[in-house]
Amino acid sequence: MADKPSKGSGIEGVLGGLSDLLRNLGQLAEKGAELQREGTFKDAQGRDVNFHYGVSVRTMNGGREMRVEPFGNLKRDQTGEAKVAEVREPMADVFEEKDHILVVLEMPGVTLADVKAEATGDVLSIAAERGAKRYRKEVLLPCPVKRDVQVTNNNGVVEVRAVREQG
């Protein structure tokens, strides 16, 4: 579900809209919804800045757990001021398969050669860059995995397979 803010709305208005979305998480979880906004606003220097942000809401374990994952390039810094980051944080879904962990990420505009992935223990780090498109994500995995991972990309849908460590 995507919508665009009205022209002239500033970054604080955009983040206020995200706050409204987060208040409705219970309803979203029932639907397994994804909400996102994208658009352009003027920064303090008068330049047009493109932004993209949203949340993905999913239920797991028969509805007993809810997972909310933010994504995009709009963040608040340590002072609480809203900033547009140069690097987008893509959405990621983690699936526990019989002998491996599968992580699926949305990284439109990149090729397989642009994607770098590395596993260390139970943390998977993924980065990709192609022109103005820059992505970075760290995913906490449900178990330790082997360091070598297998990466595929099909039209911006990146899949990373990590084999479980035998312990």
Side-chain angles (χ1 to χ4, degrees):
M1 180 187 312
D3 55 67
K4 294 190 180 216
S6 61
K7 263 192 164 192
S9 59
I11 194 166
E12 293 303 324
V14 171
L15 287 176
L18 180 59
S19 295
D20 293 341
L21 297 177
L22 293 175
R23 281 190 213 107
N24 297 312
L25 285 179
Q27 294 173 345
L28 296 174
E30 291 173 13
K31 299 176 187 175
E34 174 185 310
L35 296 173
Q36 57 184 321
R37 291 184 99 179
E38 56 188 29
T40 304
F41 64 89
K42 299 245 184 247
D43 68 6
Q45 290 77 34
R47 297 176 299 206
D48 284 341
V49 177
N50 294 320
F51 70 87
H52 179 104
Y53 77 90
V55 293
S56 172
V57 183
R58 304 251 192 304
T59 56
M60 302 178 293
N61 295 331
R64 293 187 303 264
E65 293 180 44
M66 181 172 60
R67 184 172 122 201
V68 178
E69 183 177 353
F71 60 91
N73 66 342
L74 196 56
K75 307 282 184 212
R76 288 193 186 270
D77 64 12
Q78 292 96 353
T79 67
E81 189 173 328
K83 300 284 183 192
V84 175
E86 291 181 24
V87 178
R88 288 185 180 192
E89 183 175 355
M91 271 193 1
D93 288 314
V94 179
F95 301 97
E96 293 186 62
E97 303 292 334
K98 185 176 182 178
D99 61 343
H100 67 277
I101 305 297
L102 174 64
V103 180
V104 180
L105 304 105
E106 296 178 15
M107 296 182 170
V110 300
T111 67
L112 181 59
D114 303 324
V115 180
K116 311 258 183 296
E118 180 180 283
T120 305
D122 62 352
V123 176
L124 177 64
S125 299
I126 305 110
E129 183 174 349
R130 181 174 192 87
K133 301 278 186 176
R134 296 177 64 200
Y135 300 95
R136 175 144 178 67
K137 180 80 169 184
E138 282 195 353
V139 179
L140 181 61
L141 302 174
C143 64
V145 296
K146 294 183 179 180
R147 191 168 187 82
D148 294 328
V149 295
Q150 177 188 6
V151 181
T152 59
N153 181 359
N154 185 11
N155 293 324
V157 177
V158 176
E159 293 186 356
V160 182
R161 284 177 177 69
V163 176
R164 296 174 188 267
E165 280 284 346
Q166 300 301 320

